[in-house]
Amino acid sequence: MKEFLNKIRLEKWHFYILGVVLINFGIGLITGYRLNQNLTFFLKIILYLTGLILFLTTLRPFKKIAVYYSLYAISGVLTGLFFLFGGIFLAILSSLVLFPIVPKQTEYKTETIKIYDRFQGFMARCCSYEVVEPKLYIFEKHLGYINIERPIDADKDEFSFKNNTIIYKYELDNDGQTTVGDTTEILNFE
């Protein structure tokens, strides 16, 4: 097994992918442009899998780099314990460990904008979303965060982006009875 891993140089690929993910994160913070969320999630999954494999191969004989690779194994164990036993302490630890890898769920999508559910942990408040603009299929531009009063219903709600604001159209629902008129709000970014 070690000969195979040395042959494909898994350790180098792991650090190349880590570099790409970190550079993508840094450029996204500075410029607002980053890789598409699906591509980023795929790179993160490969990063975690290679980290787990390298952790198992560096245990015997023990190498100092195994401490770094153990972070990938510990994150899997903590998440498994949370799903088995629950509890607030494990929820907080799982939120911290899963934050870098949790994929963003697309709540609303048009040709001009995508709205992702904003992951803030298992105990976060409702209805905070991230708005991005797709660019060239593999890139997207971060526009900002919005907060609304209720979850998005992709079939009934409508969003559009104009003049650095989001125009949000939805139907009012009064105790299970839908009113005929639409309501329009202008949402500013946080």
Side-chain angles (χ1 to χ4, degrees), residues 158-177:
E158 185 179 324
F159 292 87
S160 59
F161 177 66
K162 292 179 184 168
N163 300 330
N164 288 334
T165 58
I166 295 290
I167 299 171
Y168 173 42
K169 293 182 183 179
Y170 60 94
E171 293 179 2
L172 284 176
D173 188 25
N174 297 328
D175 299 325
Q177 298 174 352

Side-chain angles (χ1 to χ4, degrees), residues 26-179:
I27 289 174
L29 283 177
I30 295 169
T31 66
Y33 289 93
R34 60 180 177 223
L35 292 174
N36 185 317
Q37 289 301 316
N38 294 331
L39 181 59
T40 304
F41 179 65
F42 179 71
L43 289 173
K44 288 178 182 178
I45 291 294
I46 292 174
L47 183 70
Y48 269 72
L49 290 177
T50 56
L52 283 173
I53 291 169
L54 290 167
F55 170 70
L56 296 174
T57 59
T58 56
L59 281 177
R60 289 192 184 156
F62 183 79
K63 297 179 183 175
K64 291 180 186 177
I65 194 75
V67 174
Y68 162 74
Y69 294 133
S70 69
L71 296 175
Y72 297 101
I74 290 170
S75 66
V77 169
L78 282 175
T79 304
L81 288 174
F82 167 68
F83 285 113
L84 281 175
F85 301 114
I88 192 144
F89 180 69
L90 288 174
I92 292 170
L93 286 178
S94 294
S95 294
L96 292 173
V97 170
L98 286 178
F99 181 74
I101 194 168
V102 170
K104 295 183 179 182
Q105 301 294 321
T106 304
E107 296 292 331
Y108 186 83
K109 180 180 176 182
T110 64
E111 292 180 11
T112 56
I113 62 168
K114 283 185 186 177
I115 299 178
Y116 296 121
D117 189 23
R118 187 175 175 191
F119 180 75
Q120 296 176 323
F122 294 111
M123 298 175 57
R125 66 185 179 106
C126 174
C127 311
S128 182
Y129 300 99
E130 178 183 10
V131 182
V132 297
E133 182 180 10
K135 300 279 189 183
L136 301 173
Y137 296 111
I138 62 168
F139 297 106
E140 56 191 23
K141 181 183 180 188
H142 172 78
L143 298 175
Y145 299 107
I146 58 171
N147 292 312
I148 57 177
E149 298 293 322
R150 59 192 187 94
I152 293 175
D153 185 356
D155 297 330
K156 295 180 182 177
D157 296 345
E158 185 179 324
F159 292 87
S160 59
F161 177 66
K162 292 179 184 168
N163 300 330
N164 288 334
T165 58
I166 295 290
I167 299 171
Y168 173 42
K169 293 182 183 179
Y170 60 94
E171 293 179 2
L172 284 176
D173 188 25
N174 297 328
D175 299 325
Q177 298 174 352
T178 304
T179 60

